Amino acid sequence: MNPALVCIPTYNERENIEAIVQAVLEAAPRVDILIVDDNSPDGTGQLADGLAARDPRVRVLHREKKEGLGRAYLAAFRWALAEQYTYILEMDADFSHDPRYLPGILDAAEAGADLVLGSRYVTGGGTVNWGVGRQLISRGGSLYARSILGVGIQDLTGGFKCFHRRVLEAIDLDSVKSTGYAFQIELTYRTLRKGFTVREVPIVFEDRRVGHSKMSKKIFAEALTMVWKLRLTV
């Protein structure tokens, strides 16, 4: 078993899952992979089982239904902690998070950072194939959350992360309420509130190659209201 686990949630990612798993395995020999499938109707879960059967570094966690990104990650975190992994990473299945950044993120974690964020908005980071509207929403969302929560993190909404297990053990995972876009904000804010060190390392975020974005107006609205709840209760 490797010390690090990359958690990849999937829902209808049949077109991406084999390629992303292979790319992660090649880019980062130090990691294992946990695919968390929310009963994808397109057969992603069955493909994942085939990948796990062929490679001991790949495991699959099947969930009964789609409940949002946050619920999938929380299930993965609990599994990872039970299996005694030291470093637990979040990563999308659609290549918007490039596996080539995994070694650098792990290096920063092993150097002592409690939470490492792959950041689009620090020097050296950026985005590719984004329209003006999406850039405004993303940058505006991070600025909005930073302003309300009073933190200096540049990319609060990013989902390419590495937690040391001590962070997830200290956070009351049962108290995490966000399910979508706001989940990333909530986890980083709870980490900061517990006094852990957070380091941002630059990544270039590329829009998904195939498939469709899971973002919706409901998910974005949740993020707008959740930051106020976090500010008042955490």
Side-chain angles (χ1 to χ4, degrees):
M1 186 179 88
N2 280 302
L5 181 72
V6 176
C7 304
I8 304 178
T10 57
Y11 186 78
N12 288 348
E13 293 289 355
R14 182 183 182 89
E15 296 169 292
N16 288 310
I17 189 61
E18 292 188 81
I20 192 66
V21 165
Q22 186 61 36
V24 169
L25 293 176
E26 291 177 358
R30 290 178 283 172
V31 308
D32 294 338
I33 298 173
L34 177 66
I35 301 166
V36 187
D37 188 67
D38 279 3
N39 198 19
S40 298
D42 73 345
T44 300
Q46 289 71 35
L47 274 178
D49 286 335
L51 295 171
R54 296 196 298 270
D55 195 312
R57 291 171 60 192
V58 181
R59 305 288 293 276
V60 185
L61 178 62
H62 292 280
R63 287 162 36 85
E64 291 184 1
K65 60 182 179 180
K66 184 180 180 182
E67 296 180 304
L69 185 69
R71 299 302 104 182
Y73 271 132
L74 290 175
F77 294 164
R78 294 185 179 99
W79 189 94
L81 291 173
E83 294 294 319
Q84 302 302 311
Y85 283 94
T86 302
Y87 304 104
I88 298 129
L89 296 95
E90 300 181 12
M91 185 176 179
D92 289 348
D94 60 10
F95 281 95
S96 54
H97 297 150
D98 194 319
R100 68 188 171 96
Y101 294 113
L102 285 168
I105 289 173
L106 276 171
D107 287 346
E110 291 174 349
D114 298 308
L115 169 59
V116 182
L117 307 179
S119 178
R120 298 160 290 185
Y121 304 135
V122 295
T123 301
T127 60
V128 175
N129 298 329
W130 276 23
V132 174
R134 186 168 182 186
Q135 291 187 39
L136 288 173
I137 289 172
S138 179
R139 286 185 176 273
S142 283
L143 177 59
Y144 173 81
R146 289 203 315 269
S147 299
I148 293 171
L149 298 176
V151 299
I153 301 299
Q154 296 299 303
D155 194 349
L156 270 176
T157 60
F160 200 2
K161 298 180 173 179
C162 179
F163 294 92
H164 193 285
R165 66 175 292 117
R166 58 180 167 255
V167 176
L168 299 179
E169 289 170 334
I171 293 173
D172 180 9
L173 296 179
D174 291 334
S175 70
V176 176
K177 302 303 181 185
S178 307
T179 58
Y181 196 60
F183 177 80
Q184 306 300 352
I185 301 171
E186 181 169 357
L187 264 290
T188 298
Y189 185 61
R190 287 182 179 273
T191 300
L192 290 166
R193 293 288 289 172
K194 287 289 184 180
F196 289 109
T197 59
V198 178
R199 179 180 171 188
E200 293 183 87
V201 299
I203 65 163
V204 175
F205 183 102
E206 183 175 355
D207 205 8
R208 65 163 47 237
R209 299 179 182 179
V210 296
H212 302 284
S213 173
K214 309 299 193 301
M215 177 60 72
S216 68
K217 292 180 180 179
K218 180 180 179 181
I219 290 172
F220 185 68
E222 178 201 32
L224 294 179
T225 57
M226 180 58 70
V227 290
W228 285 102
K229 294 177 182 177
L230 292 172
R231 182 68 177 84
L232 296 172
T233 61
V234 175

